[in-house]
Amino acid sequence: MWAAVGLLAIFLSTILVTAATDAVHPPSHMETVDPGTLANNLEFANPGLTVRPDGSTIVTVVAQMFSFAPDPIEVSANRPVTFRLTSPDVMHGFEIVGTNANAMVIPGYVSQFTVTFKNPGEYIIGCNEYCGLMHHNMVGKLIVREEPK
Ligand SMILES: [Cu+2]
């Protein structure tokens, strides 16, 4: 029994340590959107990037069978990037491989998170929720450019 208690303590401390040191967050943003009228939605009808005066970027993304829009997404390194994601059809995933950016994209909801990419380069965006026959082809690209001077 003490071995089981010890394992639980190890698992719990692993969660707490990674949450504190690796910026792992539980989901906290709660916002709904009508998936049936995305085409008329001011924000999601034209998914894309908005760069704010302070250099931070908002990226509005629509994930649908079997692609992400916009694709590719181009952002600057070392600037906060807020992703706002939704889906008009089924549940998708949005994982930027090699980073801690990873969210579920659920019809009817806006998933939002903010990340800062330190390393310029090209990253693969993968759907990690099975969404249909061509799920394995649902990939996008993120290009992180050097920080503008
Ligand atoms: Cu998928």
Side-chain angles (χ1 to χ4, degrees), residues 5-133:
V5 170
L7 280 177
L8 287 177
I10 291 170
F11 295 156
L12 187 61
S13 59
T14 302
I15 293 170
L16 293 175
V17 167
T18 56
T21 61
D22 291 344
V24 175
H25 317 276
S28 55
H29 185 76
M30 171 68 192
E31 181 180 343
T32 56
V33 64
D34 180 356
T37 59
L38 279 192
N40 303 320
N41 182 288
L42 278 180
E43 180 179 7
F44 288 102
N46 295 298
L49 281 73
T50 309
V51 179
R52 290 172 170 153
D54 66 1
S56 64
T57 304
I58 298 174
V59 187
T60 301
V61 179
V62 173
Q64 59 187 319
M65 293 187 271
F66 297 97
S67 63
F68 298 101
D71 183 31
I73 298 169
E74 272 192 58
V75 298
S76 295
N78 297 310
R79 300 284 168 87
V81 180
T82 298
F83 288 91
R84 290 174 49 77
L85 314 133
T86 196
S87 163
D89 44 39
V90 299
M91 192 191 296
H92 298 281
F94 184 87
E95 177 179 10
I96 304 175
V97 178
T99 72
N100 70 343
N102 187 0
M104 287 169 84
V105 187
I106 304 167
Y109 292 88
V110 178
S111 301
Q112 178 175 307
F113 61 91
T114 301
V115 290
T116 301
F117 299 102
K118 301 237 181 302
N119 301 316
E122 291 192 3
Y123 296 83
I124 294 168
I125 301 172
C127 172
N128 56 14
E129 298 283 344
Y130 182 74
C131 56
L133 278 180

